[in-house]
Amino acid sequence: MTAVLTGTELQVRKDIARVDADRKAIRIWLGVVIFALFCLVLVGGATRLTDSGLSITQWKPIHGVIPPLTTEEWEQELELYRQIPEYQQINKGMSLDEFKFIFWWEWAHRLLARMIGLIFALPLAYFWIRGKVEPSLRAPLVGLLALGGLQGFIGWWMVSSGLSERVDVSQYRLAVHLMMACFIFASCVWIFRSLFPHTNDAAPTSKSRLFAAVLLVMTFVQIYLGALVAGLDAGFSYNTWPLMDGAWIPQGLFVQAPAWINLFENPKTVQYIHRIGAYVLWAAALLHMIQSLRAAPQTTHARRSVVLFVLISIQAVIGIVTLVTQVPLHAGVTHQGMALVVLAFAVAHLRAFYGERQKPVLVEVRD
């Protein structure tokens, strides 16, 4: 809602100062949410890498906050785990202590997800009641809250795919779960960045904003491909670089029928496409940086293009190290965390082309 100020200059300044103070509070809150989401995705990655995701076989949104407290309760949880294929075919004979290790990873992941719900919902309610949430922010913030609830359901939908016939979760559902987390994360960064003051630098070229948008989409696609790699455990094989299985274009990429199914279910094909996607993203970021520096090297947009390219290059190196070391836990989690850093900066880079979100104060200038 836009108000026309007709009072004195002092009143106008007070109104602007109030909006700036409210935005600062919202930024701090969203910064905490973004950090918590970052941690949640890292814990989720560790949960996957330690094969812990199926250790809790029931969905208890409220009661599940309390972990087993007695030996009897631990035995009950282990007995539930013994009923699923992962235990029967892979972990048969697992001791209680071994079970506790995987249980705690999954429990921590679920607990952190619940905590983020509170971290988001309670301050939002407070800011809303106090009138600090601008009208243009209300629908996006409520939408994010709803997506957070949906993400909880998606998480259980993913876990349930590995409780009856499979020994792990569906790579399709894993990818949906990760992409929803990344979309929520990116949306928070988008809103967060929009509440900061921006420079008035013009875009280096008429296509710079479009190029930044393409890079953001490519980043999402690359993360999706990474989710398929994780879901198929494709990173644990073909651990050489730059050649894959002794060739630049390895054999056996399309051995399954129909051919398109290889893009999603053939570990070799999925890993190969993930590699190619990384090369394409790196090359696109390099081109974007060169164009920006040639056209307007002194602008903040050009400097951000350099930072984005450097971040993508670092991520490429981390990815290679993760692959050739056969995905140890620390490397895998670092690779996933750096993907979020690249995503966040790609979002911020694109958002900067739009300038600061319009303030809900319109000053009428009179001669």
Side-chain angles (χ1 to χ4, degrees):
M1 182 176 181
T2 302
V4 178
L5 300 179
T6 58
T8 64
E9 181 180 352
L10 178 61
Q11 183 61 46
V12 171
R13 291 180 177 178
K14 286 183 178 179
D15 288 340
I16 293 177
R18 174 184 53 79
V19 171
D20 288 341
D22 290 345
R23 287 192 168 188
K24 181 178 180 180
I26 297 291
R27 290 200 306 266
I28 293 172
W29 162 56
L30 286 177
V32 173
V33 171
I34 290 168
F35 177 73
L37 287 170
F38 180 81
C39 294
L40 178 63
V41 175
L42 291 191
V43 174
T47 300
R48 173 64 189 175
L49 288 169
T50 56
D51 292 322
S52 304
L54 298 177
S55 58
I56 302 178
T57 60
Q58 296 179 327
W59 189 32
K60 299 177 181 178
I62 305 300
H63 180 65
V65 174
I66 304 173
L69 300 176
T70 66
T71 301
E72 181 180 359
E73 291 177 347
W74 276 112
E75 289 290 352
Q76 290 174 353
E77 286 290 340
L78 177 55
E79 184 57 34
L80 290 172
Y81 181 63
R82 288 180 178 131
Q83 308 307 312
I84 69 172
E86 182 180 75
Y87 174 85
Q88 296 165 359
Q89 298 180 36
I90 297 177
N91 292 329
K92 193 168 185 178
M94 172 180 279
S95 68
L96 183 58
D97 286 339
E98 290 171 330
F99 172 71
K100 287 181 179 180
F101 174 80
I102 63 172
F103 179 94
W104 283 122
W105 274 116
E106 175 65 9
W107 180 84
H109 185 53
R110 297 191 187 193
L111 179 66
L112 186 54
R114 293 180 176 101
M115 289 176 60
I116 291 176
L118 295 178
I119 291 171
F120 192 94
L122 295 182
L124 175 59
Y126 170 79
F127 289 134
W128 196 298
I129 293 171
R130 294 295 300 273
K132 296 180 180 295
V133 181
E134 299 172 18
S136 66
L137 288 176
R138 292 172 185 170
L141 291 176
V142 171
L144 284 176
L145 182 62
L147 287 179
L150 176 61
Q151 175 71 332
F153 171 77
I154 291 174
W156 175 247
W157 175 65
M158 176 190 69
V159 169
S160 65
S161 67
L163 298 180
S164 57
E165 298 177 359
R166 301 171 58 100
V167 296
D168 55 7
V169 300
S170 163
Q171 74 272 22
Y172 297 107
R173 299 189 187 188
L174 175 66
V176 171
H177 188 52
L178 179 59
M179 294 312 296
M180 178 61 79
C182 288
F183 179 77
I184 293 172
F185 176 81
S187 298
C188 287
V189 173
W190 181 274
I191 296 172
F192 176 77
R193 185 68 181 91
S194 74
L195 298 177
F196 277 93
H198 287 59
T199 65
N200 294 320
D201 292 348
T205 72
S206 60
K207 301 295 184 181
S208 292
R209 188 169 74 179
L210 176 60
F211 210 147
V214 171
L215 285 173
L216 177 58
V217 172
M218 292 175 66
T219 301
F220 268 112
V221 171
Q222 187 65 0
I223 291 174
Y224 173 77
L225 293 172
L228 292 180
V229 169
L232 292 168
D233 290 329
F236 293 100
S237 56
Y238 311 108
N239 300 103
T240 59
W241 185 87
L243 300 183
M244 179 177 177
D245 199 18
W248 290 104
I249 303 177
Q251 300 294 317
L253 294 179
F254 292 94
V255 295
Q256 299 181 17
W260 64 265
I261 206 71
N262 291 274
L263 303 176
F264 303 96
E265 298 187 8
N266 184 336
K268 191 174 193 177
T269 307
V270 170
Q271 189 199 121
Y272 182 72
I273 293 176
H274 188 51
R275 291 188 185 206
I276 298 302
Y279 301 148
V280 173
L281 177 58
W282 184 87
L286 175 62
L287 179 59
H288 178 61
M289 179 185 69
I290 292 173
Q291 287 182 338
S292 299
L293 290 175
R294 283 180 174 175
Q298 301 304 318
T299 63
T300 56
H301 302 299
R303 288 192 289 270
R304 277 194 304 272
S305 71
V306 174
V307 175
L308 181 58
F309 173 72
V310 170
L311 291 175
I312 291 174
S313 298
I314 293 172
Q315 172 68 338
V317 172
I318 294 173
I320 293 168
V321 172
T322 301
L323 176 70
V324 299
T325 56
Q326 299 185 354
V327 199
L329 178 61
H330 64 278
V333 172
T334 301
H335 189 47
Q336 185 156 312
M338 192 63 193
L340 287 185
V341 172
V342 171
L343 176 62
F345 199 86
V347 170
H349 179 52
L350 174 60
R351 185 61 186 78
F353 286 102
Y354 292 87
E356 183 180 5
R357 181 182 294 270
Q358 184 177 0
K359 294 178 180 178
V361 175
L362 178 62
V363 180
E364 184 180 21
V365 179
R366 298 180 179 179
D367 297 331

